[in-house]
Amino acid sequence: MKCFIILILVLWHQDGTAQHSRNNNKIVPIKGGYYVPLYSLDSQKVYIHDFSMDVYPVTNNDYLEFVKKYPEWRKSRTKSLFADSNYLQHWNNDTTFNKNIKNSPVVNVSWFAAKKYCECEGKRLPSTAEWELAARASKTKIDASKDTLFNQWILNWVSKPNPKVLPNVGSTFRNYFGVYDLHGLVWEWTYDYNSALTTGESRGNSGLDNTLFCGGGSFASKDLNNYASFMRFATRSSLKAKYCVTNVGFRCVK
Amino acid sequence: MLNNFKTLKFIILTSCISLFLYSCGSQKEHETSEVKTVVDSTKITMSNIPDESIFNLQSKWITQHDDSISLIKFANKITVAAMVFTHCQSACPRIVADIQRIENALTSQEKEQVRFLLISMDPERDTPPVFREFSKEHGLNEHWTLISSTMDATVEIANVLGVKVKKLSDGGFDHSNTIYILNKKGVVAYQQNGLEVSPDETLKQIRLLQ
């Protein structure tokens, strides 16, 4: 009986905290449409339904709320199956980091951690197709993937070294959908980041790990000029789910 | 009697705490298993597996016998595992044949310590009856378990194992062909990459784990 009362108190308390610790990330609707994957052995249009996307990447502060609520994701407790030793390496300890990165995108988080964060927010990680669909919008165009200036802007970012302290979220530009920072701040995890299988196929041998990006010339790409997309696919495919990388963050969708 | 009562109290308390600590995800099961170790500490359970064990995955799986299981069920034996889909035209039968080569090379004594596990990457189609049919076709004995789960659990285990899977529009999958040797605690001890490679090294690794 005592236990039952404690349980009720606990549940009630959790409900209360949930209200306060919800992160500030607004979501905006993204109009669905057709998307042709950059390259695939199976290249064809995929239809993406309407969805909603976080306006900003998840910040250190947002992530702090998460680890406070789910202690199993604190850096001292997270299992090595789910995150490598670089997990939150830029934090001082389980729950503190330099104040100046409070509103910077959280990085050094694994795919598992990002996925769990989104689930706990009642959201999910975007598919690569969804992410790319939202990210092809420039400030003014819903699809700027053929826009030279837009692509050049992205390439300029890609070619710059990472700043020591990542700028705050919202410091790049607001795109057609009202989403910030899809380009120009950090790379972002997607749910199926590793689905671009480019060497061999079911019948082939699978020396996948080492040869994935060496045979670039043979990619069946739809648009070889889109170098920035190549960079994103290359980056994603070089990741493993437990990797925590200094320039990979994430955002969620619904 | 007093001891029993204490244990019971401990179980109740732990259950309450577990409910308190975990609300997202199914960590509850983890806590319950931990309580069991109070009773039996010699066996490998959720409480004494290493951090890098795949048994840390909380997902539920269904077997060819319609049993609902957690991956911890594969503790205490060496597991030879691969991700497959039964509608696969060429590579999967070959990967199954490769595992059978390993199986056939083991002595009957060694076989007692080893289990064979096929994890479906096609949960929509790989149902228990399909598994049973596949087992019959390929002559899989009682040491083999075929399992499938939700798409999300499937993606998760593929990520843990580092299997790259890509669904093709014809309903098939592009995937890496790797056989995983898990030790008794669910940690990947060895990977055999590619099809029709000599199983010698894999056998050596299995014997090292016995």
Side-chain angles (χ1 to χ4, degrees), chain B residues 62-67 128 131-132 142 144-146:
Chain B
I62 187 137
T63 72
Q64 75 268 38
H65 305 301
D66 285 296
D67 295 327
F131 279 153
R132 288 197 288 272
E142 71 281 5
W144 290 67
T145 310
L146 291 79

Side-chain angles (χ1 to χ4, degrees), chain A residues 52-119:
Chain A
S52 302
M53 185 178 238
D54 282 353
V55 170
Y56 304 110
V58 172
T59 64
N60 284 299
N61 213 34
D62 296 332
Y63 202 78
L64 177 63
E65 293 297 325
F66 167 72
V67 300
K68 277 184 182 166
K69 207 165 148 197
Y70 303 102
E72 69 269 29
W73 287 99
R74 290 179 187 196
K75 71 176 188 174
S76 63
R77 296 210 209 160
T78 300
K79 292 184 163 51
S80 55
L81 186 71
F82 300 127
D84 70 18
S85 58
N86 294 326
Y87 180 61
L88 296 176
Q89 59 156 326
H90 62 299
W91 286 22
N92 303 330
N93 56 38
D94 272 357
T95 51
T96 64
F97 44 77
N98 283 345
K99 269 191 207 139
N100 61 345
I101 60 162
K102 200 175 113 182
N103 294 316
S104 303
V106 68
V107 289
N108 295 315
V109 284
S110 66
W111 176 88
F112 294 105
K115 179 173 175 283
K116 188 54 95 177
Y117 176 100
C118 292
E119 278 168 18

Side-chain angles (χ1 to χ4, degrees), chain A residues 112-227:
Chain A
F112 294 105
K115 179 173 175 283
K116 188 54 95 177
Y117 176 100
C118 292
E119 278 168 18
C120 290
E121 289 279 314
K123 302 181 202 168
R124 59 185 173 82
L125 281 175
S127 68
T128 303
E130 285 171 335
W131 194 97
E132 290 285 331
L133 180 92
R136 72 187 179 192
S138 65
K139 280 181 198 172
T140 52
K141 287 185 199 161
I142 195 164
D143 181 0
S145 51
K146 301 276 185 293
D147 183 324
T148 326
L149 278 177
F150 180 64
N151 284 320
Q152 192 56 49
W153 189 91
I154 298 169
L155 275 180
N156 286 348
W157 166 60
V158 169
S159 56
K160 268 190 282 187
N162 292 319
K164 243 190 193 142
V165 176
L166 285 168
N168 287 351
V169 299
S171 61
T172 65
F173 70 92
R174 181 180 187 275
N175 81 2
Y176 179 88
F177 298 111
V179 178
Y180 283 85
D181 308 323
L182 286 165
H183 308 284
L185 199 54
V186 287
W187 306 103
E188 294 180 10
W189 281 110
T190 55
Y191 184 73
D192 54 345
Y193 69 96
N194 63 354
S195 63
L197 188 70
T198 56
T199 58
E201 37 97 74
S202 312
R203 280 158 288 263
N205 279 341
S206 73
L208 291 168
D209 280 1
N210 42 22
T211 52
L212 201 53
F213 283 97
C214 296
S218 62
F219 289 168
S221 169
K222 69 167 175 77
D223 183 3
L224 287 163
N225 295 321
N226 200 345
Y227 190 71

Side-chain angles (χ1 to χ4, degrees), chain A residues 3 7 10 13-14 39-42 44 69-72 78-82 111-112 115-116 119-120 191 193-197 200-206 208-209 212 237 239 241, chain B residues 12 16 19-25 27 30 51-54 56-57 89-91 94 151-152 155-156 159-160 163-170 173-178 193-195:
Chain A
C3 174
L7 195 70
V10 161
H13 175 73
Q14 279 203 329
Y39 54 80
S40 91
L41 297 167
D42 188 47
Q44 60 171 220
K69 207 165 148 197
Y70 303 102
E72 69 269 29
T78 300
K79 292 184 163 51
S80 55
L81 186 71
F82 300 127
W111 176 88
F112 294 105
K115 179 173 175 283
K116 188 54 95 177
E119 278 168 18
C120 290
Y191 184 73
Y193 69 96
N194 63 354
S195 63
L197 188 70
E201 37 97 74
S202 312
R203 280 158 288 263
N205 279 341
S206 73
L208 291 168
D209 280 1
L212 201 53
S237 293
L239 296 170
Chain B
I12 291 170
C16 284
L19 275 171
F20 168 66
L21 285 178
Y22 304 106
S23 57
C24 179
Q27 294 272 4
H30 172 89
D51 275 7
E52 58 277 15
S53 168
I54 72 155
N56 284 304
L57 291 171
Q89 290 301 308
S90 60
R94 280 169 64 184
M151 203 59 224
D152 201 55
V155 169
E156 205 168 56
N159 272 298
V160 162
V163 176
K164 295 198 177 221
V165 181
K166 182 186 175 198
K167 198 165 183 174
L168 303 174
S169 58
D170 65 0
F173 293 82
D174 241 3
H175 60 96
S176 33
N177 291 301
T178 305
N193 287 309
L195 294 168

Side-chain angles (χ1 to χ4, degrees), chain B residues 84-108:
Chain B
V84 300
F85 65 105
T86 61
H87 288 72
C88 183
Q89 290 301 308
S90 60
C92 302
R94 280 169 64 184
I95 211 166
V96 170
D98 280 355
I99 299 177
Q100 282 174 322
R101 262 168 95 187
I102 295 168
E103 183 184 21
N104 294 336
L106 295 170
T107 66
S108 55

